[in-house]
PDB file of all heavy atoms in Angstrom:
ATOM      1  N   LEU A   1    -145.594  55.652   0.434  1.00  0.00           N
ATOM      2  CA  LEU A   1    -145.370  54.211   0.408  1.00  0.00           C
ATOM      3  C   LEU A   1    -143.886  53.886   0.501  1.00  0.00           C
ATOM      4  O   LEU A   1    -143.048  54.586  -0.078  1.00  0.00           O
ATOM      5  CB  LEU A   1    -145.930  53.610  -0.886  1.00  0.00           C
ATOM      6  CG  LEU A   1    -147.451  53.555  -1.041  1.00  0.00           C
ATOM      7  CD1 LEU A   1    -147.808  52.968  -2.395  1.00  0.00           C
ATOM      8  CD2 LEU A   1    -148.077  52.736   0.064  1.00  0.00           C
ATOM      9  N   ALA A   2    -143.584  52.815   1.232  1.00  0.00           N
ATOM     10  CA  ALA A   2    -142.194  52.368   1.337  1.00  0.00           C
ATOM     11  C   ALA A   2    -142.185  50.861   1.557  1.00  0.00           C
ATOM     12  O   ALA A   2    -143.092  50.304   2.173  1.00  0.00           O
ATOM     13  CB  ALA A   2    -141.491  53.076   2.490  1.00  0.00           C
ATOM     14  N   ARG A   3    -141.161  50.205   1.049  1.00  0.00           N
ATOM     15  CA  ARG A   3    -141.031  48.765   1.272  1.00  0.00           C
ATOM     16  C   ARG A   3    -140.469  48.522   2.668  1.00  0.00           C
ATOM     17  O   ARG A   3    -139.543  49.215   3.108  1.00  0.00           O
ATOM     18  CB  ARG A   3    -140.121  48.142   0.218  1.00  0.00           C
ATOM     19  CG  ARG A   3    -140.035  46.626   0.349  1.00  0.00           C
ATOM     20  CD  ARG A   3    -139.491  45.961  -0.882  1.00  0.00           C
ATOM     21  NE  ARG A   3    -139.453  44.511  -0.723  1.00  0.00           N
ATOM     22  CZ  ARG A   3    -139.188  43.666  -1.709  1.00  0.00           C
ATOM     23  NH1 ARG A   3    -138.953  44.135  -2.933  1.00  0.00           N
ATOM     24  NH2 ARG A   3    -139.186  42.358  -1.484  1.00  0.00           N
ATOM     25  N   TRP A   4    -141.035  47.521   3.349  1.00  0.00           N
ATOM     26  CA  TRP A   4    -140.586  47.184   4.697  1.00  0.00           C
ATOM     27  C   TRP A   4    -139.499  46.129   4.623  1.00  0.00           C
ATOM     28  O   TRP A   4    -139.495  45.264   3.725  1.00  0.00           O
ATOM     29  CB  TRP A   4    -141.774  46.690   5.526  1.00  0.00           C
ATOM     30  CG  TRP A   4    -141.560  46.784   7.007  1.00  0.00           C
ATOM     31  CD1 TRP A   4    -141.027  47.838   7.685  1.00  0.00           C
ATOM     32  CD2 TRP A   4    -141.893  45.804   7.981  1.00  0.00           C
ATOM     33  NE1 TRP A   4    -141.008  47.576   9.032  1.00  0.00           N
ATOM     34  CE2 TRP A   4    -141.528  46.327   9.247  1.00  0.00           C
ATOM     35  CE3 TRP A   4    -142.459  44.532   7.918  1.00  0.00           C
ATOM     36  CZ2 TRP A   4    -141.711  45.628  10.430  1.00  0.00           C
ATOM     37  CZ3 TRP A   4    -142.655  43.835   9.101  1.00  0.00           C
ATOM     38  CH2 TRP A   4    -142.277  44.389  10.339  1.00  0.00           C
ATOM     39  N   SER A   5    -138.580  46.167   5.570  1.00  0.00           N
ATOM     40  CA  SER A   5    -137.402  45.301   5.508  1.00  0.00           C
ATOM     41  C   SER A   5    -137.699  43.846   5.876  1.00  0.00           C
ATOM     42  O   SER A   5    -136.979  42.944   5.467  1.00  0.00           O
ATOM     43  CB  SER A   5    -136.320  45.837   6.452  1.00  0.00           C
ATOM     44  OG  SER A   5    -136.817  45.904   7.788  1.00  0.00           O
ATOM     45  N   LYS A   6    -138.785  43.601   6.633  1.00  0.00           N
ATOM     46  CA  LYS A   6    -139.040  42.242   7.106  1.00  0.00           C
ATOM     47  C   LYS A   6    -139.967  41.485   6.160  1.00  0.00           C
ATOM     48  O   LYS A   6    -140.617  42.074   5.297  1.00  0.00           O
ATOM     49  CB  LYS A   6    -139.632  42.281   8.516  1.00  0.00           C
ATOM     50  CG  LYS A   6    -138.681  42.888   9.534  1.00  0.00           C
ATOM     51  CD  LYS A   6    -139.265  42.854  10.935  1.00  0.00           C
ATOM     52  CE  LYS A   6    -138.299  43.476  11.938  1.00  0.00           C
ATOM     53  NZ  LYS A   6    -138.839  43.460  13.317  1.00  0.00           N
ATOM     54  N   ALA A   7    -140.031  40.166   6.368  1.00  0.00           N
ATOM     55  CA  ALA A   7    -140.873  39.318   5.518  1.00  0.00           C
ATOM     56  C   ALA A   7    -141.289  38.086   6.320  1.00  0.00           C
ATOM     57  O   ALA A   7    -140.770  37.811   7.403  1.00  0.00           O
ATOM     58  CB  ALA A   7    -140.112  38.899   4.268  1.00  0.00           C
ATOM     59  N   PHE A   8    -142.247  37.340   5.781  1.00  0.00           N
ATOM     60  CA  PHE A   8    -142.681  36.100   6.414  1.00  0.00           C
ATOM     61  C   PHE A   8    -141.665  34.994   6.125  1.00  0.00           C
ATOM     62  O   PHE A   8    -140.980  35.016   5.090  1.00  0.00           O
ATOM     63  CB  PHE A   8    -144.058  35.682   5.887  1.00  0.00           C
ATOM     64  CG  PHE A   8    -145.189  36.492   6.450  1.00  0.00           C
ATOM     65  CD1 PHE A   8    -145.621  37.640   5.811  1.00  0.00           C
ATOM     66  CD2 PHE A   8    -145.828  36.102   7.620  1.00  0.00           C
ATOM     67  CE1 PHE A   8    -146.670  38.392   6.327  1.00  0.00           C
ATOM     68  CE2 PHE A   8    -146.872  36.849   8.149  1.00  0.00           C
ATOM     69  CZ  PHE A   8    -147.294  37.990   7.501  1.00  0.00           C
ATOM     70  N   THR A   9    -141.583  34.034   7.013  1.00  0.00           N
ATOM     71  CA  THR A   9    -140.632  32.931   6.821  1.00  0.00           C
ATOM     72  C   THR A   9    -141.062  31.986   5.703  1.00  0.00           C
ATOM     73  O   THR A   9    -140.235  31.303   5.111  1.00  0.00           O
ATOM     74  CB  THR A   9    -140.478  32.127   8.126  1.00  0.00           C
ATOM     75  OG1 THR A   9    -141.773  31.710   8.586  1.00  0.00           O
ATOM     76  CG2 THR A   9    -139.796  32.953   9.192  1.00  0.00           C
ATOM     77  N   SER A  10    -142.372  31.966   5.417  1.00  0.00           N
ATOM     78  CA  SER A  10    -142.858  31.065   4.364  1.00  0.00           C
ATOM     79  C   SER A  10    -144.257  31.483   3.923  1.00  0.00           C
ATOM     80  O   SER A  10    -144.942  32.253   4.604  1.00  0.00           O
ATOM     81  CB  SER A  10    -142.913  29.624   4.875  1.00  0.00           C
ATOM     82  OG  SER A  10    -143.887  29.498   5.902  1.00  0.00           O
ATOM     83  N   LYS A  11    -144.670  30.963   2.785  1.00  0.00           N
ATOM     84  CA  LYS A  11    -146.033  31.195   2.296  1.00  0.00           C
ATOM     85  C   LYS A  11    -147.048  30.612   3.269  1.00  0.00           C
ATOM     86  O   LYS A  11    -148.115  31.192   3.500  1.00  0.00           O
ATOM     87  CB  LYS A  11    -146.197  30.555   0.914  1.00  0.00           C
ATOM     88  CG  LYS A  11    -147.552  30.810   0.278  1.00  0.00           C
ATOM     89  CD  LYS A  11    -147.721  30.061  -1.026  1.00  0.00           C
ATOM     90  CE  LYS A  11    -148.044  28.600  -0.762  1.00  0.00           C
ATOM     91  NZ  LYS A  11    -148.515  27.867  -1.946  1.00  0.00           N
ATOM     92  N   GLU A  12    -146.708  29.460   3.861  1.00  0.00           N
ATOM     93  CA  GLU A  12    -147.626  28.792   4.786  1.00  0.00           C
ATOM     94  C   GLU A  12    -147.879  29.642   6.026  1.00  0.00           C
ATOM     95  O   GLU A  12    -148.997  29.687   6.532  1.00  0.00           O
ATOM     96  CB  GLU A  12    -147.058  27.427   5.198  1.00  0.00           C
ATOM     97  CG  GLU A  12    -147.067  26.375   4.096  1.00  0.00           C
ATOM     98  CD  GLU A  12    -146.028  26.624   3.017  1.00  0.00           C
ATOM     99  OE1 GLU A  12    -145.000  27.284   3.320  1.00  0.00           O
ATOM    100  OE2 GLU A  12    -146.237  26.165   1.870  1.00  0.00           O
ATOM    101  N   LYS A  13    -146.835  30.344   6.506  1.00  0.00           N
ATOM    102  CA  LYS A  13    -147.012  31.187   7.687  1.00  0.00           C
ATOM    103  C   LYS A  13    -147.933  32.355   7.383  1.00  0.00           C
ATOM    104  O   LYS A  13    -148.779  32.730   8.195  1.00  0.00           O
ATOM    105  CB  LYS A  13    -145.648  31.681   8.194  1.00  0.00           C
ATOM    106  CG  LYS A  13    -145.749  32.527   9.462  1.00  0.00           C
ATOM    107  CD  LYS A  13    -146.488  31.786  10.565  1.00  0.00           C
ATOM    108  CE  LYS A  13    -146.888  32.703  11.698  1.00  0.00           C
ATOM    109  NZ  LYS A  13    -147.763  32.041  12.685  1.00  0.00           N
ATOM    110  N   LEU A  14    -147.781  32.953   6.201  1.00  0.00           N
ATOM    111  CA  LEU A  14    -148.680  34.036   5.796  1.00  0.00           C
ATOM    112  C   LEU A  14    -150.109  33.528   5.702  1.00  0.00           C
ATOM    113  O   LEU A  14    -151.057  34.201   6.138  1.00  0.00           O
ATOM    114  CB  LEU A  14    -148.218  34.621   4.459  1.00  0.00           C
ATOM    115  CG  LEU A  14    -149.124  35.661   3.794  1.00  0.00           C
ATOM    116  CD1 LEU A  14    -149.455  36.801   4.740  1.00  0.00           C
ATOM    117  CD2 LEU A  14    -148.479  36.189   2.512  1.00  0.00           C
ATOM    118  N   GLU A  15    -150.284  32.340   5.151  1.00  0.00           N
ATOM    119  CA  GLU A  15    -151.628  31.756   5.063  1.00  0.00           C
ATOM    120  C   GLU A  15    -152.209  31.507   6.457  1.00  0.00           C
ATOM    121  O   GLU A  15    -153.406  31.723   6.690  1.00  0.00           O
ATOM    122  CB  GLU A  15    -151.577  30.449   4.276  1.00  0.00           C
ATOM    123  CG  GLU A  15    -151.339  30.649   2.789  1.00  0.00           C
ATOM    124  CD  GLU A  15    -151.118  29.348   2.038  1.00  0.00           C
ATOM    125  OE1 GLU A  15    -150.843  28.321   2.721  1.00  0.00           O
ATOM    126  OE2 GLU A  15    -151.209  29.348   0.801  1.00  0.00           O
ATOM    127  N   ASP A  16    -151.361  31.105   7.407  1.00  0.00           N
ATOM    128  CA  ASP A  16    -151.817  30.906   8.792  1.00  0.00           C
ATOM    129  C   ASP A  16    -152.332  32.213   9.390  1.00  0.00           C
ATOM    130  O   ASP A  16    -153.357  32.229  10.076  1.00  0.00           O
ATOM    131  CB  ASP A  16    -150.668  30.369   9.665  1.00  0.00           C
ATOM    132  CG  ASP A  16    -150.347  28.915   9.384  1.00  0.00           C
ATOM    133  OD1 ASP A  16    -151.163  28.249   8.710  1.00  0.00           O
ATOM    134  OD2 ASP A  16    -149.271  28.447   9.812  1.00  0.00           O
ATOM    135  N   VAL A  17    -151.602  33.295   9.139  1.00  0.00           N
ATOM    136  CA  VAL A  17    -152.010  34.605   9.663  1.00  0.00           C
ATOM    137  C   VAL A  17    -153.356  35.024   9.070  1.00  0.00           C
ATOM    138  O   VAL A  17    -154.242  35.522   9.774  1.00  0.00           O
ATOM    139  CB  VAL A  17    -150.920  35.661   9.373  1.00  0.00           C
ATOM    140  CG1 VAL A  17    -151.443  37.075   9.649  1.00  0.00           C
ATOM    141  CG2 VAL A  17    -149.684  35.389  10.220  1.00  0.00           C
ATOM    142  N   ILE A  18    -153.527  34.810   7.758  1.00  0.00           N
ATOM    143  CA  ILE A  18    -154.790  35.151   7.106  1.00  0.00           C
ATOM    144  C   ILE A  18    -155.934  34.343   7.712  1.00  0.00           C
ATOM    145  O   ILE A  18    -157.003  34.885   8.032  1.00  0.00           O
ATOM    146  CB  ILE A  18    -154.693  34.924   5.583  1.00  0.00           C
ATOM    147  CG1 ILE A  18    -153.744  35.954   4.961  1.00  0.00           C
ATOM    148  CG2 ILE A  18    -156.083  35.012   4.932  1.00  0.00           C
ATOM    149  CD1 ILE A  18    -153.462  35.712   3.492  1.00  0.00           C
ATOM    150  N   GLN A  19    -155.724  33.049   7.900  1.00  0.00           N
ATOM    151  CA  GLN A  19    -156.773  32.198   8.484  1.00  0.00           C
ATOM    152  C   GLN A  19    -157.089  32.628   9.914  1.00  0.00           C
ATOM    153  O   GLN A  19    -158.247  32.600  10.342  1.00  0.00           O
ATOM    154  CB  GLN A  19    -156.338  30.730   8.456  1.00  0.00           C
ATOM    155  CG  GLN A  19    -156.232  30.119   7.069  1.00  0.00           C
ATOM    156  CD  GLN A  19    -157.564  30.023   6.340  1.00  0.00           C
ATOM    157  OE1 GLN A  19    -158.638  30.187   6.932  1.00  0.00           O
ATOM    158  NE2 GLN A  19    -157.509  29.754   5.043  1.00  0.00           N
ATOM    159  N   GLN A  20    -156.076  33.034  10.635  1.00  0.00           N
ATOM    160  CA  GLN A  20    -156.266  33.505  12.013  1.00  0.00           C
ATOM    161  C   GLN A  20    -157.141  34.754  12.038  1.00  0.00           C
ATOM    162  O   GLN A  20    -158.053  34.879  12.864  1.00  0.00           O
ATOM    163  CB  GLN A  20    -154.892  33.807  12.617  1.00  0.00           C
ATOM    164  CG  GLN A  20    -154.929  34.323  14.052  1.00  0.00           C
ATOM    165  CD  GLN A  20    -153.532  34.696  14.532  1.00  0.00           C
ATOM    166  OE1 GLN A  20    -152.536  34.205  14.031  1.00  0.00           O
ATOM    167  NE2 GLN A  20    -153.465  35.571  15.511  1.00  0.00           N
ATOM    168  N   ILE A  21    -156.883  35.688  11.119  1.00  0.00           N
ATOM    169  CA  ILE A  21    -157.642  36.941  11.074  1.00  0.00           C
ATOM    170  C   ILE A  21    -159.106  36.681  10.712  1.00  0.00           C
ATOM    171  O   ILE A  21    -160.022  37.145  11.395  1.00  0.00           O
ATOM    172  CB  ILE A  21    -157.012  37.921  10.063  1.00  0.00           C
ATOM    173  CG1 ILE A  21    -155.646  38.399  10.557  1.00  0.00           C
ATOM    174  CG2 ILE A  21    -157.933  39.124   9.825  1.00  0.00           C
ATOM    175  CD1 ILE A  21    -154.858  39.186   9.520  1.00  0.00           C
ATOM    176  N   VAL A  22    -159.326  35.933   9.634  1.00  0.00           N
ATOM    177  CA  VAL A  22    -160.705  35.731   9.167  1.00  0.00           C
ATOM    178  C   VAL A  22    -161.483  34.829  10.128  1.00  0.00           C
ATOM    179  O   VAL A  22    -162.698  34.969  10.279  1.00  0.00           O
ATOM    180  CB  VAL A  22    -160.747  35.179   7.722  1.00  0.00           C
ATOM    181  CG1 VAL A  22    -160.047  36.125   6.768  1.00  0.00           C
ATOM    182  CG2 VAL A  22    -160.131  33.793   7.632  1.00  0.00           C
ATOM    183  N   GLY A  23    -160.778  33.902  10.784  1.00  0.00           N
ATOM    184  CA  GLY A  23    -161.446  33.020  11.736  1.00  0.00           C
ATOM    185  C   GLY A  23    -162.031  33.773  12.909  1.00  0.00           C
ATOM    186  O   GLY A  23    -163.111  33.443  13.406  1.00  0.00           O
ATOM    187  N   ARG A  24    -161.338  34.811  13.366  1.00  0.00           N
ATOM    188  CA  ARG A  24    -161.835  35.620  14.484  1.00  0.00           C
ATOM    189  C   ARG A  24    -163.117  36.357  14.122  1.00  0.00           C
ATOM    190  O   ARG A  24    -163.905  36.714  14.990  1.00  0.00           O
ATOM    191  CB  ARG A  24    -160.768  36.643  14.899  1.00  0.00           C
ATOM    192  CG  ARG A  24    -159.598  36.047  15.653  1.00  0.00           C
ATOM    193  CD  ARG A  24    -158.579  37.129  15.955  1.00  0.00           C
ATOM    194  NE  ARG A  24    -157.400  36.589  16.624  1.00  0.00           N
ATOM    195  CZ  ARG A  24    -156.290  37.299  16.840  1.00  0.00           C
ATOM    196  NH1 ARG A  24    -156.231  38.549  16.421  1.00  0.00           N
ATOM    197  NH2 ARG A  24    -155.273  36.754  17.468  1.00  0.00           N
ATOM    198  N   CYS A  25    -163.308  36.622  12.831  1.00  0.00           N
ATOM    199  CA  CYS A  25    -164.524  37.320  12.378  1.00  0.00           C
ATOM    200  C   CYS A  25    -165.603  36.341  11.914  1.00  0.00           C
ATOM    201  O   CYS A  25    -166.588  36.749  11.296  1.00  0.00           O
ATOM    202  CB  CYS A  25    -164.181  38.271  11.225  1.00  0.00           C
ATOM    203  SG  CYS A  25    -162.988  39.532  11.645  1.00  0.00           S
ATOM    204  N   ASN A  26    -165.370  35.051  12.178  1.00  0.00           N
ATOM    205  CA  ASN A  26    -166.317  34.010  11.767  1.00  0.00           C
ATOM    206  C   ASN A  26    -166.510  34.011  10.251  1.00  0.00           C
ATOM    207  O   ASN A  26    -167.633  33.844   9.758  1.00  0.00           O
ATOM    208  CB  ASN A  26    -167.663  34.180  12.486  1.00  0.00           C
ATOM    209  CG  ASN A  26    -168.510  32.922  12.413  1.00  0.00           C
ATOM    210  OD1 ASN A  26    -167.982  31.803  12.336  1.00  0.00           O
ATOM    211  ND2 ASN A  26    -169.820  33.080  12.405  1.00  0.00           N
ATOM    212  N   ARG A  27    -165.405  34.204   9.530  1.00  0.00           N
ATOM    213  CA  ARG A  27    -165.460  34.192   8.076  1.00  0.00           C
ATOM    214  C   ARG A  27    -164.535  33.109   7.536  1.00  0.00           C
ATOM    215  O   ARG A  27    -163.729  32.528   8.272  1.00  0.00           O
ATOM    216  CB  ARG A  27    -165.104  35.560   7.515  1.00  0.00           C
ATOM    217  CG  ARG A  27    -166.074  36.621   8.018  1.00  0.00           C
ATOM    218  CD  ARG A  27    -166.075  37.883   7.239  1.00  0.00           C
ATOM    219  NE  ARG A  27    -167.159  38.754   7.700  1.00  0.00           N
ATOM    220  CZ  ARG A  27    -167.497  39.880   7.139  1.00  0.00           C
ATOM    221  NH1 ARG A  27    -166.859  40.303   6.072  1.00  0.00           N
ATOM    222  NH2 ARG A  27    -168.495  40.601   7.610  1.00  0.00           N
ATOM    223  N   VAL A  28    -164.668  32.838   6.257  1.00  0.00           N
ATOM    224  CA  VAL A  28    -163.948  31.716   5.649  1.00  0.00           C
ATOM    225  C   VAL A  28    -163.229  32.193   4.391  1.00  0.00           C
ATOM    226  O   VAL A  28    -163.766  32.982   3.615  1.00  0.00           O
ATOM    227  CB  VAL A  28    -164.930  30.581   5.274  1.00  0.00           C
ATOM    228  CG1 VAL A  28    -164.197  29.458   4.554  1.00  0.00           C
ATOM    229  CG2 VAL A  28    -165.634  30.058   6.508  1.00  0.00           C
ATOM    230  N   VAL A  29    -162.002  31.703   4.195  1.00  0.00           N
ATOM    231  CA  VAL A  29    -161.304  31.923   2.934  1.00  0.00           C
ATOM    232  C   VAL A  29    -160.636  30.605   2.547  1.00  0.00           C
ATOM    233  O   VAL A  29    -159.950  29.974   3.346  1.00  0.00           O
ATOM    234  CB  VAL A  29    -160.275  33.077   3.047  1.00  0.00           C
ATOM    235  CG1 VAL A  29    -159.204  32.791   4.085  1.00  0.00           C
ATOM    236  CG2 VAL A  29    -159.658  33.388   1.699  1.00  0.00           C
ATOM    237  N   ASN A  30    -160.886  30.154   1.330  1.00  0.00           N
ATOM    238  CA  ASN A  30    -160.304  28.911   0.830  1.00  0.00           C
ATOM    239  C   ASN A  30    -160.306  28.961  -0.701  1.00  0.00           C
ATOM    240  O   ASN A  30    -160.645  29.997  -1.285  1.00  0.00           O
ATOM    241  CB  ASN A  30    -161.066  27.684   1.359  1.00  0.00           C
ATOM    242  CG  ASN A  30    -162.568  27.789   1.116  1.00  0.00           C
ATOM    243  OD1 ASN A  30    -162.996  28.261   0.050  1.00  0.00           O
ATOM    244  ND2 ASN A  30    -163.367  27.362   2.081  1.00  0.00           N
ATOM    245  N   GLU A  31    -159.949  27.864  -1.347  1.00  0.00           N
ATOM    246  CA  GLU A  31    -159.855  27.870  -2.812  1.00  0.00           C
ATOM    247  C   GLU A  31    -161.191  28.134  -3.482  1.00  0.00           C
ATOM    248  O   GLU A  31    -161.242  28.724  -4.557  1.00  0.00           O
ATOM    249  CB  GLU A  31    -159.281  26.537  -3.297  1.00  0.00           C
ATOM    250  CG  GLU A  31    -157.792  26.397  -3.057  1.00  0.00           C
ATOM    251  CD  GLU A  31    -157.196  25.205  -3.780  1.00  0.00           C
ATOM    252  OE1 GLU A  31    -157.941  24.539  -4.536  1.00  0.00           O
ATOM    253  OE2 GLU A  31    -155.997  24.938  -3.603  1.00  0.00           O
ATOM    254  N   SER A  32    -162.283  27.710  -2.870  1.00  0.00           N
ATOM    255  CA  SER A  32    -163.600  27.953  -3.468  1.00  0.00           C
ATOM    256  C   SER A  32    -164.101  29.363  -3.167  1.00  0.00           C
ATOM    257  O   SER A  32    -164.931  29.905  -3.893  1.00  0.00           O
ATOM    258  CB  SER A  32    -164.613  26.925  -2.962  1.00  0.00           C
ATOM    259  OG  SER A  32    -164.745  26.993  -1.555  1.00  0.00           O
ATOM    260  N   MET A  33    -163.606  29.971  -2.071  1.00  0.00           N
ATOM    261  CA  MET A  33    -163.935  31.361  -1.740  1.00  0.00           C
ATOM    262  C   MET A  33    -162.629  32.086  -1.432  1.00  0.00           C
ATOM    263  O   MET A  33    -162.286  32.314  -0.266  1.00  0.00           O
ATOM    264  CB  MET A  33    -164.889  31.426  -0.540  1.00  0.00           C
ATOM    265  CG  MET A  33    -166.274  30.908  -0.822  1.00  0.00           C
ATOM    266  SD  MET A  33    -167.452  31.248   0.524  1.00  0.00           S
ATOM    267  CE  MET A  33    -166.831  30.145   1.789  1.00  0.00           C
TER     268      MET A  33
END
């Protein structure tokens, strides 16, 4: 294991990436799930 030097520009961008991934699999992630 090693820490990577890069990071996301914001929490919102990371959330966008997560939504993009799960959306392609026809799945949902939100506060209730």
Side-chain angles (χ1 to χ4, degrees):
L1 289 178
R3 184 163 181 171
W4 201 44
S5 58
K6 297 183 180 180
F8 284 91
T9 54
S10 66
K11 184 185 78 167
E12 289 73 26
K13 182 55 194 172
L14 173 53
E15 288 173 344
D16 287 347
V17 168
I18 291 173
Q19 292 295 347
Q20 179 184 336
I21 292 171
V22 301
R24 286 177 183 171
C25 300
N26 197 29
R27 300 197 173 186
V28 176
V29 61
N30 52 40
E31 285 191 4
S32 60
M33 291 189 290

